[in-house]
């Protein structure tokens, strides 16, 4: 049997804070939340076998909540990271990618360095035929920063481009 007590405390600014109190009947620990394992940031990237190694196909991912810290001021920097790649033998697993991106939240990083570091780590994990990381950092001091870094496997040549009508938006949200 679990016995959990909730306390709400009002602060002068009008915000409430919820305090959760556990007693000796509670078997939860710091590694679980609600009886489920909690996710923690990690630099470990997991992969899975490419489901169709006979075909070059393009995987596009958008990571809109990337954050790191400015190494000069310690202020947060926010970016959208675009990952485009053509896998060879392995693909990156999405949850591990999310936790990997989360691991930069408390690190001081120059935009150029973090973009290249992400590319190096993803290339080491997946060994793709082609990979491009595009980092679009939000304005800081009146300056937007975009950084593009690419990797191309030795000897790999892309197939001829076929132009098709594009969707109006690259977003998965329909409106």
């Amino acid at each position: 049997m679990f016995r959990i007590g909730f306390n709400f405390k009002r602060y002068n600014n009008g915000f409430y804070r919820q305090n959760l109190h556990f007693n000796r009947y509670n078997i939860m620990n710091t590694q679980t939340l609600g009886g489920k394992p909690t996710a923690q940031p990690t630099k470990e990237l997991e992969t899975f076998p490419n489901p169709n190694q006979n075909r070059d196909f393009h995987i596009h991912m958008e990571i809109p909540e990337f954050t790191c810290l400015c190494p000069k001021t310690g202020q947060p920097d926010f970016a959208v990271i675009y990952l485009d790649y053509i896998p060879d033998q392995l693909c990156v697993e999405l949850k591990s990618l999310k936790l990997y991106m989360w691991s930069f939240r408390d690190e001081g990083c120059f935009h150029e360095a973090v973009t290249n570091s992400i590319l190096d780590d993803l290339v080491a994990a997946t060994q793709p035929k082609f990979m491009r990381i595009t980092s679009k950092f939000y304005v800081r001091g009146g300056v937007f920063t975009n950084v593009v870094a690419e990797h191309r496997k030795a000897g790999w040549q892309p197939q001829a481009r076929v132009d098709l009508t594009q969707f109006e938006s690259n977003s998965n949200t329909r409106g």
Side-chain angles (χ1 to χ4, degrees), residues 1-3 23 25-26:
M1 177 173 163
F2 294 106
R3 294 185 186 211
N23 65 20
Y25 298 105
N26 186 353

Side-chain angles (χ1 to χ4, degrees), residues 16-65:
Y16 288 87
R17 181 173 174 193
Q18 180 180 3
N19 294 317
L20 189 58
H21 299 281
F22 303 103
N23 65 20
R24 63 188 173 95
Y25 298 105
N26 186 353
I27 61 171
M28 294 171 61
N29 62 42
T30 59
Q31 299 302 311
T32 63
L33 180 63
K36 297 179 182 176
T38 57
Q40 295 295 318
T42 181
K43 294 289 186 191
E44 187 175 324
L45 288 162
E46 296 178 22
T47 62
F48 62 92
N50 178 348
N52 195 338
Q53 296 177 18
N54 299 326
R55 175 180 300 134
D56 283 352
F57 59 95
H58 175 188
I59 299 173
H60 172 80
M61 297 176 193
E62 296 180 22
I63 301 127
E65 298 177 338

Side-chain angles (χ1 to χ4, degrees), residues 3-175:
R3 294 185 186 211
I4 302 173
F6 293 93
N7 252 348
F8 290 93
K9 182 176 180 182
R10 183 165 193 217
Y11 291 90
N12 291 338
N13 61 7
F15 287 98
Y16 288 87
R17 181 173 174 193
Q18 180 180 3
N19 294 317
L20 189 58
H21 299 281
F22 303 103
N23 65 20
R24 63 188 173 95
Y25 298 105
N26 186 353
I27 61 171
M28 294 171 61
N29 62 42
T30 59
Q31 299 302 311
T32 63
L33 180 63
K36 297 179 182 176
T38 57
Q40 295 295 318
T42 181
K43 294 289 186 191
E44 187 175 324
L45 288 162
E46 296 178 22
T47 62
F48 62 92
N50 178 348
N52 195 338
Q53 296 177 18
N54 299 326
R55 175 180 300 134
D56 283 352
F57 59 95
H58 175 188
I59 299 173
H60 172 80
M61 297 176 193
E62 296 180 22
I63 301 127
E65 298 177 338
F66 181 82
T67 58
C68 62
L69 299 176
C70 172
K72 294 286 192 176
T73 66
Q75 295 293 312
D77 283 333
F78 302 93
V80 178
I81 306 291
Y82 298 91
L83 168 60
D84 292 283
Y85 73 106
I86 297 172
D88 191 3
Q89 304 290 319
L90 299 170
C91 297
V92 67
E93 192 274 327
L94 293 179
K95 179 148 188 184
S96 75
L97 179 63
K98 177 183 84 168
L99 298 175
Y100 171 80
M101 292 296 181
W102 182 13
S103 73
F104 290 96
R105 183 161 291 168
D106 295 325
E107 291 184 15
C109 307
F110 288 104
H111 300 165
E112 300 81 0
V114 73
T115 302
N116 279 283
S117 177
I118 292 168
L119 178 65
D120 291 343
D121 291 346
L122 284 166
V123 166
T126 62
Q127 298 297 307
K129 295 177 182 178
F130 174 81
M131 184 173 283
R132 175 185 298 130
I133 303 291
T134 304
S135 301
K136 293 189 172 196
F137 284 87
Y138 290 94
V139 69
R140 173 68 95 165
V143 177
F144 287 96
T145 305
N146 294 337
V147 181
V148 179
E150 291 184 350
H151 162 82
R152 186 181 307 258
K153 189 173 190 174
W156 178 78
Q157 292 296 320
Q159 296 177 353
R161 181 175 172 90
V162 177
D163 285 322
L164 301 174
T165 302
Q166 294 291 313
F167 293 106
E168 289 185 23
S169 172
N170 287 335
S171 174
N172 288 346
T173 304
R174 304 294 185 241

